[in-house]
Each structure stands twice: as structure tokens, then as C-alpha cells.
Amino acid sequence: ETGVTQSPTHLIKTRGQQVTLRCSSQSGHNTVSWYQQALGQGPQFIFQYYREEENGRGNFPPRFSGLQFPNYSSELNVNALELDDSALYLCASGGYYGYTFGSGTRLTVV
Amino acid sequence: LAKTTQPISMDSYEGQEVNITCSHNNIATNDYITWYQQFPSQGPRFIIQGYKTKVTNEVASLFIPADRKSSTLSLPRVSLSDTAVYYCLVGDVRTYKYIFGTGTRLKVLA
């Protein structure tokens, strides 16, 4: 039990569609980050939220956006899906010793 | 953000000690070194974290020389279930903005 829950676990979308991925962080963790992990690659930092505000962003276009809510849940939204967006999307909440990761959402864009 | 360099892959046999070295030449004063383990289609799992010298927990040891430009994760007596990808991260634990490298793919053989 990691304490970070992501939904759904798997998802198939069509190119051009929009998708929302959800994450429930550990209680008390004010920081949540999202990562994209392509097959065979390390996780790539998308962005981070602290107390409901974005406070860091990786090299991802604006069609990747997010929200963090007061109840320690958060969302990753991706508009105008492209085939290259197919990946495992990981949510991580910040604890004292670093991140606790969820198991991820496997997104397939066809 | 500090970039890390690790060997791409390593093979070992059950019962052996495995040492994985990570290079992080531009580590900053506030950066900690954290190692994660990742199994296929799962989120990374925290192994160990340190700032300098040596840190040991129930699963691993982390050796950090005085200049902190490298670190070595030591896994004592590995088993088949230790087959995974191991990531070395360097970052400020106050900001959680980590960069993952490609990781080291460890394969433990019987």
C-alpha cells in the first residue's frame, strides 16, 4: 500500500481527444508531481504543484495541464492527444524522504 | 538540476553483493541523493537517501564520498526478486524537483 492512488490504471484514447488522469496523494503531503514514462525510459518530469499552485514545469507543452485540490487529490489533463503521449503517467506526493509514487496510469493513444 | 549518470545494465547472481555507482558532478549544496527501485508497470519505490558519508537501512547501503560527486548503492545478497531498474536521483528534498536518468537495469540470475 503506497498511499498514493491513481485512476484509471489503464486507458485507451484516440488521437486528438482529451484525457484526465487522477491521483489521490497521501494525507498531509502538500506537494504533488506528475511524470511521464515512455517504455524503456526513465520518468520525465511534467510539473509539480504545491498547495494548489503550479511551482515547477518540465519540458512539456501547454496542452499538459494540472490541478491540485485541498483534499490532496490532483489531476493531469492532456488535450489534443498525440500518439507519442502513449506512456505510463506517474503521480508522486512529497514526503520527508522524497517521493511516494503511485502505480501509474497506462495511457495508450491510437 | 543535477544530472546523473549510471551504467545502463548489470548482471549478478543470487547471493552476491551488487554495487551500482552513480555520477553527479554538478550536485548542489542543498541536494540529497536518493535511490529508487522500479519494477515493470509500477511506480518507483524509495530505497534509500543520503547527503554524505554512509547510510544504511534494512535493504541497502549508500556510500557517498566527501566530494559528493558520485554515490554507490550497495545491495547485499541479491535475490531474483531484486531484478528491476534502479534510479539515482539528485535534488533538493525541499522542492522535490528531481530529474530521473535512464537508470540501471539489474538482472539477477539463478
Side-chain angles (χ1 to χ4, degrees), chain A residues 37 48 55 95 97 99 102, chain B residues 36 38 43 49 87 95-97:
Chain A
Q37 187 174 25
Q48 179 185 98
N55 76 333
Y97 289 108
Y99 283 138
Chain B
Y36 284 85
Q38 187 178 28
Q49 184 180 82
Y87 293 98
T95 66
Y96 305 103
K97 293 174 185 174

Side-chain angles (χ1 to χ4, degrees), chain B residues 48-90:
Chain B
I48 198 166
Q49 184 180 82
Y51 185 80
K52 61 180 178 181
T53 63
K54 177 184 174 182
V55 180
T56 298
N57 62 21
E58 63 276 9
V59 298
S61 294
L62 178 59
F63 298 91
I64 306 168
D67 66 6
R68 305 201 324 123
K69 293 184 183 300
S70 66
S71 59
T72 299
L73 173 71
S74 180
L75 304 172
R77 300 183 59 80
V78 294
S79 63
L80 295 176
S81 63
D82 292 319
T83 294
V85 179
Y86 292 81
Y87 293 98
C88 162
L89 279 72
V90 173

Side-chain angles (χ1 to χ4, degrees), chain A residues 29 92-101, chain B residues 34 36 46 49 93 96 98:
Chain A
H29 286 184
S93 72
Y96 183 78
Y97 289 108
Y99 283 138
T100 298
F101 281 88
Chain B
T34 311
Y36 284 85
F46 173 88
Q49 184 180 82
V93 295
Y96 305 103
Y98 298 121

